[in-house]
Amino acid sequence: MSTASLSLLEQRFAKLRANKLFELSVIAIIVFSALIIGVKTYPLPAWTQPVIVGLDWAITLFFLVEITIRFLGDPSKRTFFKNAWNVFDTLIVVVSLIPIEDSELALIGRLVRIFRVLRMVSIIPELRTLITSLLVALPQLGYVMLMMFIIFYIYAAVGATFFAAINPELWGDIAISMLTLFRVMTFEDWTDVMYETMSVYPLSWAYYLSFIFLSAFAFLNMIIGIVVNVLEGEHKKIAAAEAEAAGEPTLQDLKAELAEIKSLLQARSETPQ
């Protein structure tokens, strides 16, 4: 096949992968795949098993064709697998080809078919932005989580010391106490826990209220604030990249122009009349 024919074929595949109808079809098949996984968890008549297996293989072949089109339509095939999402999609599709009946790898095949639902993230840009924002925010979130763990540990040690005799199932040791505190933080019947200890220690309400204030109100809001701030930054980066691709002036360009105008005005004002 000539170079011109290959180039024309690549353009057709690129046009197809950028087609909105094609993207919607892929999303529809992913949703249908998720429904098939859900249906398989119910007791079904014997005659439906071959139908479900056939549909499963049809979905797998569709994904194989789809990833092939995306690869052939990519103008830079050498860098195709440098994109983590492309690697993830390819692994999911390739491992999905493992037969799931009467095979030692049946469990892996079933798990991968479940994880095919995650391909929705790689297809929808907004979901990719959310995941990217979470990954970018992880270093900042790590320090907040570490501080939360310290608070949990201190309060769990106090709870195990004072409340273990009241209810060993909730405060028997520090590990169980941390689980109980997680229940308190999520407001899951936490008042029952509080009233039980208040029957022995009337002022123990201060223990619970101070813990809830620190964990549920302070630290969780800090986590939300960090994620929202990072998400806003990612949206700005995407908007700047789209503006640059469209040839529109970005915020940095405007700042540079303003700085240049300011320097010109200063130079003119300093010039003797």
Side-chain angles (χ1 to χ4, degrees):
M1 189 177 292
S2 64
T3 305
S5 300
L6 288 174
S7 178
L8 180 61
L9 190 63
E10 181 181 298
Q11 291 177 6
R12 289 180 177 177
F13 281 127
K15 186 176 180 181
L16 178 59
R17 63 178 283 181
N19 189 287
K20 205 67 180 177
L21 183 60
F22 179 72
E23 292 182 1
L24 292 175
S25 300
V26 175
I27 293 173
I29 295 298
I30 293 174
V31 173
F32 183 71
S33 173
L35 293 176
I36 292 294
I37 293 170
V39 167
K40 288 164 68 175
T41 62
Y42 291 93
L44 299 172
W47 65 269
T48 61
Q49 297 300 325
V51 176
I52 291 178
V53 172
L55 289 173
D56 185 79
W57 277 108
I59 291 170
T60 301
L61 291 176
F62 176 86
F63 286 147
L64 181 62
V65 172
E66 179 255 337
I67 201 70
T68 303
I69 290 173
R70 285 172 52 191
F71 175 75
L72 295 177
D74 197 302
S76 181
K77 295 178 178 58
R78 292 182 178 179
T79 60
F80 182 80
F81 291 107
K82 290 183 178 180
N83 186 317
W85 292 114
N86 291 336
V87 174
F88 172 77
D89 289 344
T90 304
L91 284 175
I92 291 293
V93 172
V94 171
V95 181
S96 294
L97 296 174
I98 298 175
I100 62 174
E101 283 76 30
D102 301 327
S103 170
E104 295 180 356
L105 299 177
L107 180 60
I108 296 177
R110 292 191 183 98
L111 287 175
V112 170
R113 281 163 170 78
I114 293 172
F115 284 114
R116 281 193 309 203
V117 181
L118 283 176
R119 292 206 57 217
M120 189 80 75
V121 177
S122 64
I123 297 297
I124 301 177
E126 288 77 9
L127 296 181
R128 290 202 303 268
T129 303
L130 288 176
I131 297 298
T132 303
S133 300
L134 287 175
L135 294 176
V136 172
L138 279 180
Q140 302 177 57
L141 292 177
Y143 292 108
V144 178
M145 298 301 293
L146 177 61
M147 192 63 203
M148 283 189 67
F149 175 78
I150 294 172
I151 297 297
F152 262 80
Y153 195 86
I154 292 173
Y155 273 80
V158 173
T161 302
F162 287 94
F163 307 145
I166 300 174
N167 191 338
E169 293 183 0
L170 296 179
W171 306 100
D173 54 51
I174 197 165
I176 296 175
S177 297
M178 292 180 74
L179 288 175
T180 303
L181 288 174
F182 185 80
R183 169 182 171 181
V184 173
M185 184 187 70
T186 56
F187 304 110
E188 176 62 30
D189 291 335
W190 72 278
T191 52
D192 295 341
V193 180
M194 181 181 67
Y195 291 142
E196 185 179 41
T197 59
M198 283 180 65
S199 63
V200 180
Y201 298 100
L203 295 179
S204 62
W205 59 266
Y207 170 85
Y208 296 98
L209 293 184
S210 61
F211 174 76
I212 289 173
F213 176 80
L214 288 173
S215 60
F217 296 154
F219 289 111
L220 286 183
N221 282 320
M222 288 175 63
I223 292 174
I224 294 171
I226 290 172
V227 173
V228 170
N229 186 44
V230 172
L231 184 60
E232 184 179 355
E234 289 298 317
H235 280 303
K236 288 181 179 179
K237 288 181 182 178
I238 294 173
E242 291 177 351
E244 185 177 356
E248 299 176 0
T250 62
L251 182 60
Q252 297 296 329
D253 296 333
L254 294 175
K255 287 182 178 179
E257 291 180 5
L258 289 173
E260 184 178 354
I261 293 172
K262 183 178 179 180
S263 62
L264 290 174
L265 291 174
Q266 287 178 347
R268 180 174 296 183
S269 63
E270 294 173 359
T271 302
Q273 299 296 329

